[in-house]
Amino acid sequence: MTEPTDETSAERPGPADLSGRLVREEARRAAVWLGMILAILAMIWLAQPILLIIGGLVFAVILDGGTRLLGRVLPIGRPWRLAIVTLAGFGFIAWTFYFAGTTLAEQAGALRAVVTAQSERAMEYLRTLGLISESGLSNLGNQLLGGVGRLTTALSTAVGVLTSSVLVLVIGIFIAIEPRLYDRGVAWMLPMERRSSFYEISDHVGYTLRRLMAGRILGMVVEGVGTWLMLLWGGVPMAALLGLLTGLLAFIPNIGAIVSGLLMVAVGFSAGTDAGIWAIATYLIVQTVDGYIIVPYVARRTVDLAPALVLAAQLVFGALFGFMGLLLADPIVAAIKTTLEDVSRRKAGESKDARAKG
């Protein structure tokens, strides 16, 4: 029998041999890193479909919240309550388009002309003060238009908007009909010992988003109706259109309020100094009510999101994913924060139990 040489005894398993423990550990680590890279690439390439699915989930949360709320006063089956809420929602959307198409069509054209004229007047005033030059003014306009174009690249056409909206509505309705079916489908991919935790976290995230969306809708109603009534009382032109736009833009925290405020002030000063001052007062009163009464009340009952965190998320999501990212930044951040808090709380409880047993 031949004695093994030093060279033979020094042989180690090769890359194709997974029998060695060290090789298996390295292969597992490599697989984890490769999986993370593929997940990041998938998130980049599939960002828009993923955001449409998230939008459908948010719409399903709104329908589910309305169905649960209706169940408190109308003791009928869930499918009937869901049908009532869905039909009421589509009825409101149809009325909004009808109202905007008949009553507000002329006001919309006038609003565009007023905003354009006021913007040119403001830029001219800045130029006379020497704050910007003619070339700087042109560059500023091009940068703003370019930024808006990048922000809305994914939904730049009417067909894209309509298609995306229909997909969000269909996904939301299907999920709202049988939400537990999709929860079980996700839980099926998890280990058995993790499924109960997933169901608890899923229920908590759903509860948080229902409260968040309820507060958002309440804020939209208060801002829209309040703006309309106060502008109408103060004699500001296009009060109905501005109230509708303010209510719709209230769904986007921070940025929506800034846009609606600029529109309101521009229209107010186009009708005179008194109307402009009244528009500023209206904006401050409505935003104060929403910011110091509605938002804190909702935050106490849901997840307390710092305004700076929400604004940063909106800027990042808007730059990365366009208008849908901007629109869904708030619920995404709320869902992530709720999930991380629940996971952290559960791990802390497990470690505490382990120390008590030890």
Side-chain angles (χ1 to χ4, degrees):
M1 184 173 176
T2 308
E3 291 291 332
T5 62
D6 292 341
E7 195 174 308
T8 316
S9 60
E11 289 288 340
R12 295 289 184 269
D17 188 359
L18 299 180
S19 59
R21 183 179 63 84
L22 180 61
V23 176
R24 287 198 304 271
E25 289 295 330
E26 293 298 327
R28 188 178 297 111
R29 292 175 183 173
V32 170
W33 283 106
L34 180 61
M36 291 179 63
I37 294 173
L38 292 177
I40 293 173
L41 292 177
M43 288 290 291
I44 295 174
W45 287 103
L46 301 177
Q48 292 303 320
I50 291 174
L51 285 176
L52 291 178
I53 295 173
I54 294 175
L57 289 171
V58 172
F59 183 61
V61 166
I62 296 175
L63 293 178
D64 185 58
T67 303
R68 292 170 182 261
L69 185 62
L70 188 60
R72 298 182 179 182
V73 296
L74 197 60
I76 58 177
R78 175 184 167 84
W80 292 105
R81 287 184 278 120
L82 178 61
I84 293 173
V85 172
T86 304
L87 291 176
F90 281 113
F92 174 76
I93 294 174
W95 174 84
T96 301
F97 276 103
Y98 174 78
F99 184 62
T102 56
T103 308
L104 305 180
E106 295 181 1
Q107 292 188 10
L111 176 64
R112 183 170 59 250
V114 167
V115 171
T116 303
Q118 294 292 79
S119 300
E120 293 176 353
R121 183 182 302 177
M123 292 299 178
E124 181 66 23
Y125 179 70
L126 293 176
R127 190 182 66 80
T128 57
L129 293 178
L131 296 178
I132 56 176
S133 61
E134 193 67 35
S135 59
L137 179 60
S138 176
N139 292 334
L140 178 61
N142 292 333
Q143 289 174 5
L144 290 176
L145 292 175
V148 172
R150 287 192 300 270
L151 188 65
T152 58
T153 299
L155 300 173
S156 58
T157 63
V159 176
V161 173
L162 181 61
T163 304
S164 300
S165 302
V166 170
L167 287 174
V168 169
L169 295 177
V170 170
I171 292 172
I173 291 173
F174 275 119
I175 295 177
I177 291 174
E178 190 61 40
R180 274 297 175 184
L181 175 65
Y182 301 93
D183 277 350
R184 289 195 297 269
V186 176
W188 177 78
M189 296 183 288
L190 300 175
M192 291 290 293
E193 64 273 10
R194 297 292 180 184
R195 293 184 183 180
S196 60
S197 330
F198 168 77
Y199 285 127
E200 293 178 5
I201 294 175
S202 175
D203 290 340
H204 191 194
V205 170
Y207 173 82
T208 300
L209 291 181
R210 284 195 302 271
R211 296 280 182 164
L212 183 66
M213 292 298 103
R216 188 62 44 76
I217 293 174
L218 176 62
M220 292 170 66
V221 173
V222 170
E223 290 192 30
V225 175
T227 299
W228 169 53
L229 293 177
M230 290 196 65
L231 292 180
L232 188 64
W233 184 23
V236 178
M238 295 173 272
L241 179 60
L242 289 172
L244 179 62
L245 291 177
T246 300
L248 294 176
L249 289 171
F251 189 82
I252 310 175
N254 303 321
I255 296 177
I258 295 173
V259 174
S260 63
L262 292 175
L263 293 175
M264 203 182 305
V265 173
V267 173
F269 278 102
S270 70
T273 305
D274 293 340
I277 294 175
W278 183 263
I280 294 176
T282 299
Y283 173 76
L284 294 177
I285 292 173
V286 170
Q287 294 302 321
T288 299
V289 171
D290 184 56
Y292 288 95
I293 297 177
I294 297 176
V295 171
Y297 177 78
V298 173
R300 284 197 303 268
R301 293 180 172 270
T302 56
V303 55
D304 193 7
L305 295 177
L309 175 63
V310 176
L311 181 59
Q314 289 173 341
L315 295 176
V316 172
F317 278 58
L320 291 177
F321 308 122
F323 179 73
M324 285 293 292
L326 175 66
L327 193 66
L328 299 173
D330 196 24
I332 290 175
V333 171
I336 293 174
K337 183 177 180 183
T338 303
T339 302
L340 293 177
E341 287 177 347
D342 285 0
V343 171
S344 176
R345 192 180 302 112
R346 180 172 293 274
K347 287 186 176 181
E350 291 176 355
S351 55
K352 183 178 179 181
D353 293 340
R355 287 195 303 268
K357 291 180 181 179

